[in-house]
Amino acid sequence: MNRFFIVRHGQTKWNTQLKTQGQQDSSLDEIGMIQTQKLAKRLSAFNIDHIYSSDLGRTIQTSDIISAQLQKEYSLDSSLREIDFGEWEGLTIEDIKKSYEAEYRMWRKEPDKARIPGAESLQAVADRIAAGINKINEAHKSSNILLVSHGVVIKVLLLTLLNSSLSNIYKIKQDNTALNVVEFREYGPVILRVNDTTHLEVGSFEK
């Protein structure tokens, strides 16, 4: 049985500016660095055996801090990348509403059916992350595995593990440095924790 600790990267400059990041990049800001340091201390309470990170800059920054705290190297895995938002990347929500009114309306009402110009569909993301985590799961036995990824990808993964419709993506929250825990048991995956940010509270590093 493998146990996965799945985390979102720390806060970035674009997060605070409400810009759509996707596979573009914005570095962690000062708050994001502090969040990640607190997450790293929290993770030191667990015996992490392997670390895999998305190969985008903000997750690499996050993984660098965690890796230094845990004194364990990490591997880059493109399956953990954020959704490709196509023409929306770098735009604020207000920009998108003005220039892509119909597409944005669909994205908010029926995200699983939305077709953003030049972007991945949620189903494509689901297929990518499912294949990636299955490959990692098969490569290890009885291990604690840390995955450093992104908001949309993590929400899609959790819905996929629950066999839930991707239309429910807005029903799951993923804050910066949120911790999610999933065990892959003989009869399938079991979600133990979702969007846990207690490490951001002073003195809260317990399991």
Side-chain angles (χ1 to χ4, degrees):
M1 178 183 70
N2 290 319
R3 177 175 287 189
F4 284 83
F5 297 79
I6 306 165
V7 301
R8 186 186 176 201
H9 60 80
Q11 178 177 288
T12 70
K13 296 175 182 178
W14 280 17
N15 284 152
T16 59
Q17 295 168 2
L18 302 180
K19 287 186 176 181
T20 304
Q21 292 183 114
Q23 296 187 3
Q24 297 296 312
D25 238 329
S26 173
S27 59
L28 300 188
D29 62 16
E30 184 176 353
I31 291 176
M33 299 286 281
I34 293 171
Q35 289 174 331
T36 305
Q37 289 164 0
K38 290 183 175 182
L39 171 63
K41 289 179 181 178
R42 175 75 181 284
L43 291 170
S44 67
F46 303 96
N47 182 27
I48 301 297
D49 299 301
H50 308 282
I51 305 174
Y52 292 86
S53 172
S54 155
D55 58 355
L56 298 180
R58 57 194 184 274
T59 38
I60 290 176
Q61 276 188 285
T62 301
S63 297
D64 282 341
I65 294 171
I66 294 172
S67 175
Q69 174 70 37
L70 302 185
Q71 298 185 334
K72 190 171 293 289
E73 295 184 359
Y74 62 91
S75 301
L76 297 179
D77 191 323
S78 61
S79 73
L80 299 173
R81 278 186 168 205
E82 180 60 296
I83 183 176
D84 182 343
F85 268 118
E87 294 180 12
W88 288 9
E89 296 195 355
L91 301 181
T92 65
I93 298 300
E94 290 306 312
D95 290 335
I96 293 169
K97 287 180 180 178
K98 290 176 182 177
S99 301
Y100 302 89
E101 183 179 356
E103 292 90 342
Y104 182 75
R105 191 183 307 115
M106 178 65 78
W107 173 247
R108 292 299 301 181
K109 290 185 176 180
E110 297 181 282
D112 54 320
K113 298 178 182 177
R115 293 297 177 264
I116 300 167
E120 281 183 289
S121 66
L122 287 182
Q123 187 58 57
V125 175
D127 293 341
R128 165 162 62 85
I129 188 59
I133 198 169
N134 286 338
K135 183 177 180 181
I136 294 171
N137 190 44
E138 290 172 1
H140 304 288
K141 291 183 179 180
S142 302
S143 296
N144 289 330
I145 303 166
L146 175 65
L147 305 182
V148 184
S149 191
H150 306 264
V152 173
V153 170
I154 295 172
K155 290 193 282 187
V156 166
L157 172 60
L158 294 175
L159 289 172
T160 301
L161 295 177
L162 289 169
N163 291 320
S164 179
S165 170
L166 297 177
S167 64
N168 292 320
I169 192 168
Y170 296 118
K171 296 180 180 179
I172 297 178
K173 194 172 186 219
Q174 283 296 298
D175 293 311
N176 290 111
T177 69
L179 170 63
N180 309 271
V181 183
V182 178
E183 282 185 354
F184 276 74
R185 301 178 180 176
E186 291 183 3
Y187 50 85
V190 177
I191 297 174
L192 305 179
R193 194 168 305 206
V194 175
N195 197 42
D196 182 349
T197 56
T198 54
H199 50 277
L200 300 182
E201 300 171 12
V202 178
S204 295
F205 301 128
E206 71 278 6
K207 294 184 183 180

